[in-house]
Each structure stands twice: as structure tokens, then as C-alpha cells.
Amino acid sequence: MQQQHTEADEQTGPTFTAPTHREIVTILGGLMIGMFLAALDQTIVATSMRTIGDDLNGLSLQAWVTTAYLLTATISTPLYGKLSDIYGRKPFYLLAISLFVVGSLLSGTADSMYQLAVYRGIQGLGAGGLMSLAITILGDLVPPRERARYQAYFLAVFGTSSVLGPVIGGFFSGADQIAGIAGWRWVFLVNVPLGLIGLVVITRVLHLPPLRRIEHRIDWPGALALVVGLVPLLVVAEQGRLWGWTSPRALTCYAIGLVGLVAFGLLERRAGADAILPLRMFANRTFSVGAAANTVIGLAMFGGLAVLPLYLQIVRGQTPTEAGLTLIPFTLGIMGGSVIAGQLTSRTGRYKVFPVVGTVLMVVGGLLFSTLGVTTPLGLLFAYSIVFGLGLGLTMQPLVLAVQNAVPVRDMGVATSSSLFFRQMGGTLGTAVFLSILFSTVGTNIGDAIERAARTPAFQAALADPKVAADPDNAPVLGLVQGTGGGLSLDDSSFLSGMDPRLATPLLEGFAQSVDLVLLISGLMMLAGVVLTLLMPELPLRNVSGIEGRLADEAAIDAAAAPAPVPGVGVTPVGAVQAATADLDATRRVSDAGTESPPHQKRHRDDR
């Protein structure tokens, strides 16, 4: 079997010197820029979309702009992981940043919503690799036991971007022009200088040894089947509420998606080790349980949190910027939880307790959020946000760490990207399902609230007030009560700010009840996350980095392939390589109950 070396960077030779803490922090700076861009883009664009749609005369097409980004980011995530395992991390990380920068620049120059959708798709192609490859590169450089404390930086970036996104997006979309350019275009253009800085930093400071590889086939049929399977399902997840979940278009998407997923499974089985998502990895209990846990957490987390900004803006009357600032305690909880989990994992080598406790806190946080009302004090909202954020911070990084530690080092890229892939798929499904629940129940809840309020003296006085009747902002409620209106629509909730408070209160109460229902379901769903994290095995953390483990594997294969010193005794080089590879796979196959680390890892521990 032909062996080749690829130039992952400027270095050559088989040796590797572990980076110092200062060097790791410098590299993390470049990686975090990329992660910040990807995480920030999800919130900054959503805040500005209404302004963008009005300016480009295509507000009704805004969902396709979001869907295009989501599709390409989701589908490209596992591709980056697999290709980086074969050809090296650095080239693909530079490619991811480059695609994101180019897509951002093009998006900032879009003249129509159709153009913007295409350019956002290019952005998504880059975003798919920014987060997964950053975590994988850290795994290459740092052993699992030390890795936990560095991953806290990544979660800090994630949390910070979730707060800064609405603030920055509100600032840009609220400005008519900045430096002679429409304010909303800076939502995309701000990524360009940051991305260029990230390119320079990664190019200069990230040095990885050349990657020896055995020639592989690229699983293009599997990639195509994955596209056919996921694209229709993601489209219907985004559009199903508007189309109708049982409409002909939705049913067609279900059918095509099912065919694509079945074909993907068959093709992956046929591709074997060359598969984008090798099916053999699901035989690893940590990987399979981690995939299920990430899906559930993504579903409950992203789906539940999708309604919190709506609660703050509609029920509490906050602007997008104010809503972002209100959720700062949520970010503080994420950062606190990630630091606690990282530091204690590094000191003790234990990690399972954190996702277990974290998912329990997310259950408690979801149940607390389900009690939100129109007049809930902000202090309580802050406390609930800290509880939920703390649980999230304790959960996210240990799950990725567990999967990275449980798979062979040669699969670390695809394992890491798969973890994020399942979390993102869960988030997409959760957002679609929970928003559907929200808007399918809000009409009934508002109607019930109005019926209760109609019997109160304050509401009756408002109905009898001529000034109230003359104000067009009050027309939606007056029409419902008097039976002369065409129905209430929350597609544009701006009328609530000018409505008489006595008439607006039942609308706000009804919307808050629907938000509470969504958050209650989200909290209860997290009970499945608690069970799954309890089922996850806790294996001893390796004390060698991904690169050190890979070089040790290669040295063992080379030693086995060397000619036998005894005349007339030996095996062919190819046979020896295959035998050594099989032996290494056997030593790395850890049972669910836990086993001792492979011998070459013990030697590395002694050396260190």
C-alpha cells in the first residue's frame, strides 16, 4: 500500500516538540477568532434580518437566507473532520476561514435576497470547519487531561458571541450609514478584517508535523447521499411551519430525505474506513452515547433558547440590543461552568460527573424558565439564566472531550466534527419544533387570556374609552372582542408598543404562557440528556496529545514493517503494516468497563 507525506505546514521530519503553554495560548488566539466569527454570525444576522429584508425588498425570503447558511454549515462539518484526518488540519482550517471571509465580503455587497442567500451559503461552507477544526487542532496539540482547561476558552467565546451578536447587530442595523456604507452591510463586512487577522495568526504560529497517510479514496458517493438526505430535512425544518407539516411539499421532503439517509447508510457501510462517518465508530459506546446526548442537548438547548429573545422583546418590550444585554448572566453561567469543568478535569482526570450535573442543572433551569410571566422580576430571570448557563458550561466541553479520548487518534477529526454535527442537527430540529409549538398555541392562549380579561372592570373601561377605540394600535384586540376583526397576527408585533396597556396585557399573558410551555417541554426533554450522560462510560484520560499518539502509532507500524534480523524469517512489509495496524486497533479498542491504556501510551507517560 503506497504511503505518502503531506505538507501540513512548513515543518518536515517525524519529530514533534510539545508546545509550551504560551505557544498554545497564542495558537488559541487565532483559533478563537475563527470560532468567534462562526458563533457571532448566528446571532448578529438574525438581529438584523428585518432591516436587511426591508432594504433588499425581500422580507418574505429571509428564511431562505438563514436556511442556505444552515444547510452548507451542517453538511460541511463532517466533511472537514474526515478530510482533515486524511490530509491534515491546517490547510482545511485556512480554507474554512478563507471561505468565510469571501462569503462575508460578498454578502456585504448583495443587491438582492437571492444573491444574499447564495453568498450566505458560501459563508456556511467556511463556518462548518471553523468550530470543529479548532477543537480538533487543540486535541492534536494538548493531551486530553490538560485539554479540558483550554477548551474553556472556546466556550467563553461561544457565550460571549451569543450576547454580543444582538448588541452589534442592533447597532449596525440601526445605523443608516457607516463610512458611507449602509449600516446593515457591516454585519457581514466586520468579519473581513477579523478573518484576515485569524489567517495571519494561524499561518504564522500553527506548526504541525507532516501527516503520514495511507492512500485513501474520498467518499464522494457518501457525501452526495448525505446532501440528498439532509438538505430536504433541513429545508422542511425551516419552512415546515409556513408550508404545513403535512403539506405536499413537506411530505416530498420527508420522502427524499429518507431515501438519501438510507442510501448514505448503505454507502458508508460499503466505504468502510474511507467513509465520511465510519459506521464502526457507533460500536464505540462512548461515541454512540455521546452522539445521542449531543442531539438531545442541541434539541433542548437551541430549541428552548430560541424563544427567550422573543419573550424579552414581545412580552417585556425590549429591543434586540437590550435583550442581548439581559442574557449576559447566561454567558457568565456558561463561562463559569466551563472553567470549573476544565480545571477540575485537569486536576483529577475525572469528567463524567460534569455532564451529569450539567444536564440536571439544565433540567432545573428549563423548569424555572417555564414560570416566566409578564411581570417576572429581572433578578429572577438573571438567576434562572445563570443556572441554565452553568449547566451548559459543565456539559458541552466534557462531552466532546469524552468522545475525543475514546476514539483512535486517527479518527479524532471525524469524531469531533460528528459531535458538533449531531448537536447542530438537534438544534435545528429543536428550533423548528419549538417555534411550531409556540405559534400553534399562542392564538388559543391569547384568546383565553382575552376572555378572562374581558370580565375585569379595567378591560371593560378600556373598551368603553373613545380614545382607545380611535387608536389604530388597539384595533387588533378590539376586533377580536367585538367580532369585527380579521384575526390577530404576531408576524409584526410592533403594534403592541402603542397599544393601551389594559388591552395589551392579555396578549402578553397569552404569549408568555406559550413561551412557558416551550420551556417546560425543553426542560423535560433534558431528562433524556441526564439518562444518556449517566450511561456514558468514563475511560482513563490519555496523557499524550493527538500528534504524539499518532507518531507513536506510526513508529510501531514502522518497527513491525522492518526486515526481520534472523535470516529466512520475516513477513512482507505490507503484511507487517497491516498486522501492526490491526494490533494498534485492538489495543485502542477500550471496553465499556474501562481498560488500561496501550503500552506505547504508558511509555509516553513515563517520559513526560
Side-chain angles (χ1 to χ4, degrees):
M1 196 173 291
Q2 184 181 3
Q3 291 184 342
Q4 297 181 359
H5 286 268
T6 59
E7 293 182 0
D9 63 2
E10 302 82 6
Q11 292 189 21
T12 60
T15 60
F16 171 72
T17 302
T20 64
H21 171 74
R22 183 174 182 179
E23 290 171 335
I24 292 173
V25 171
T26 303
I27 294 171
L28 281 180
L31 297 177
M32 286 192 296
I33 290 176
M35 290 190 68
F36 179 76
L37 291 174
L40 180 69
D41 200 71
Q42 298 179 30
T43 53
I44 189 174
V45 175
T47 306
S48 312
M49 189 51 67
R50 175 153 297 199
T51 302
I52 295 172
D54 290 340
D55 194 55
L56 297 180
N57 299 315
L59 187 59
S60 61
L61 300 173
Q62 63 173 311
W64 291 106
V65 174
T66 303
T67 303
Y69 178 90
L70 177 68
L71 287 174
T72 54
T74 302
I75 291 171
S76 63
T77 296
L79 291 174
Y80 276 109
K82 182 63 178 181
L83 293 174
S84 71
D85 280 338
I86 300 174
Y87 300 107
R89 320 283 187 216
K90 184 175 179 179
F92 285 98
Y93 194 75
L94 294 177
L95 174 64
I97 296 182
S98 300
L99 285 173
F100 192 87
V101 169
V102 170
S104 298
L105 183 60
L106 291 173
S107 297
T109 62
D111 294 324
S112 70
M113 292 294 276
Y114 292 107
Q115 280 188 3
L116 184 59
V118 173
Y119 297 156
R120 287 280 287 159
I122 297 174
Q123 260 191 312
L125 287 175
L130 290 179
M131 191 166 295
S132 62
L133 287 183
I135 297 174
T136 306
I137 290 171
L138 180 63
D140 283 335
L141 298 173
V142 182
R145 183 155 179 168
E146 299 176 24
R147 193 180 306 159
R149 62 191 179 106
Y150 290 109
Q151 285 183 347
Y153 292 107
F154 289 159
L155 277 186
V157 168
F158 176 84
T160 302
S161 64
S162 66
V163 172
L164 289 182
V167 176
I168 299 175
F171 170 75
F172 284 142
S173 60
D176 291 333
Q177 286 192 342
I178 299 176
I181 300 174
W184 67 263
R185 295 185 183 274
W186 286 100
V187 167
F188 305 104
L189 297 179
V190 71
N191 295 328
V192 177
L194 291 175
L196 293 176
I197 293 173
L199 277 173
V200 172
V201 173
I202 292 299
T203 301
R204 293 180 61 88
V205 305
L206 181 60
H207 302 295
L208 305 175
L211 180 62
R212 175 188 295 183
R213 65 180 177 85
I214 297 174
E215 191 65 31
H216 286 270
R217 292 182 301 107
I218 298 178
D219 184 21
W220 294 121
L224 179 61
L226 182 64
V227 171
V228 174
L230 290 185
V231 167
L233 298 181
L234 290 172
V235 168
V236 78
E238 290 292 309
Q239 304 293 326
R241 186 169 59 86
L242 301 176
W243 293 351
W245 296 108
T246 58
S247 66
R249 283 187 288 185
L251 293 176
T252 300
C253 286
Y254 298 145
I256 296 174
L258 179 61
V259 171
L261 292 179
V262 171
F264 177 71
L266 295 175
L267 289 168
E268 294 303 275
R269 180 181 298 275
R270 181 181 178 184
D274 293 327
I276 294 174
L277 182 57
L279 298 183
R280 59 179 166 76
M281 296 182 67
F282 287 96
N284 183 312
R285 185 178 171 188
T286 301
F287 180 86
S288 56
V289 172
N294 274 305
T295 302
V296 170
I297 290 169
L299 192 151
M301 176 185 69
F302 289 107
L305 293 181
V307 302
L308 274 180
L310 294 177
Y311 165 80
L312 292 173
Q313 294 177 56
I314 293 178
V315 177
R316 307 306 292 262
Q318 295 184 349
T319 65
T321 301
E322 291 170 342
L325 294 174
T326 301
L327 292 176
I328 285 180
F330 177 75
T331 301
L332 296 178
I334 292 178
M335 295 174 66
S338 62
V339 170
I340 292 171
Q343 292 294 330
L344 292 181
T345 298
S346 179
R347 293 176 185 175
T348 66
R350 307 299 296 270
Y351 58 87
K352 179 178 177 177
V353 62
F354 302 113
V356 173
V357 174
T359 49
V360 169
L361 287 176
M362 291 174 71
V363 170
V364 174
L367 297 180
L368 290 174
F369 275 136
S370 69
T371 65
L372 294 176
V374 178
T375 59
T376 300
L378 286 180
L380 284 180
L381 179 62
F382 294 159
Y384 301 164
S385 298
I386 290 176
V387 171
F388 198 97
L390 188 63
L392 190 57
L394 290 172
T395 302
M396 290 178 70
Q397 76 173 28
L399 282 179
V400 175
L401 180 66
V403 171
Q404 287 182 330
N405 181 67
V407 302
V409 289
R410 70 171 186 271
D411 290 329
M412 190 164 58
V414 71
T416 304
S417 62
S418 296
S419 296
L420 300 182
F421 169 78
F422 286 114
R423 186 183 301 166
Q424 186 161 338
M425 286 298 297
T428 302
L429 177 63
T431 301
V433 170
F434 285 134
L435 288 180
S436 179
I437 293 173
L438 175 69
F439 287 104
S440 63
T441 60
V442 70
T444 301
N445 287 333
I446 287 177
D448 292 343
I450 290 177
E451 184 177 347
R452 292 192 300 270
R455 296 190 289 267
T456 64
F459 197 88
Q460 292 291 338
L463 294 179
D465 190 336
K467 294 182 179 180
V468 171
D471 189 341
D473 283 334
N474 298 319
V477 173
L478 294 175
L480 284 176
V481 174
Q482 298 168 359
T484 60
L488 181 67
S489 174
L490 288 178
D491 287 339
D492 183 359
S493 58
S494 58
F495 68 89
L496 288 172
S497 60
M499 182 177 290
D500 186 281
R502 295 167 292 182
L503 298 183
T505 297
L507 270 69
L508 302 181
E509 290 177 349
F511 194 89
Q513 288 173 2
S514 292
V515 169
D516 290 347
L517 175 62
V518 168
L519 293 168
L520 175 62
I521 296 174
S522 171
L524 295 177
M525 278 187 173
M526 279 307 304
L527 290 173
V530 176
V531 174
L532 287 168
T533 53
L534 285 170
L535 292 175
M536 177 175 287
E538 184 171 31
L539 308 178
L541 289 177
R542 293 193 290 251
N543 281 337
V544 294
S545 67
I547 291 178
E548 290 171 325
R550 193 190 75 219
L551 292 177
D553 288 353
E554 293 174 356
I557 292 174
D558 288 343
V566 180
V569 180
V571 295
T572 61
V574 172
V577 170
Q578 293 173 339
T581 302
D583 289 342
L584 284 170
D585 285 342
T587 58
R588 288 191 179 280
R589 194 176 299 118
V590 185
S591 67
D592 293 341
T595 64
E596 290 296 324
S597 299
H600 69 272
Q601 292 181 6
K602 292 182 179 179
R603 288 198 297 270
H604 273 275
R605 290 198 188 103
D606 295 337
D607 292 341
R608 293 172 67 88

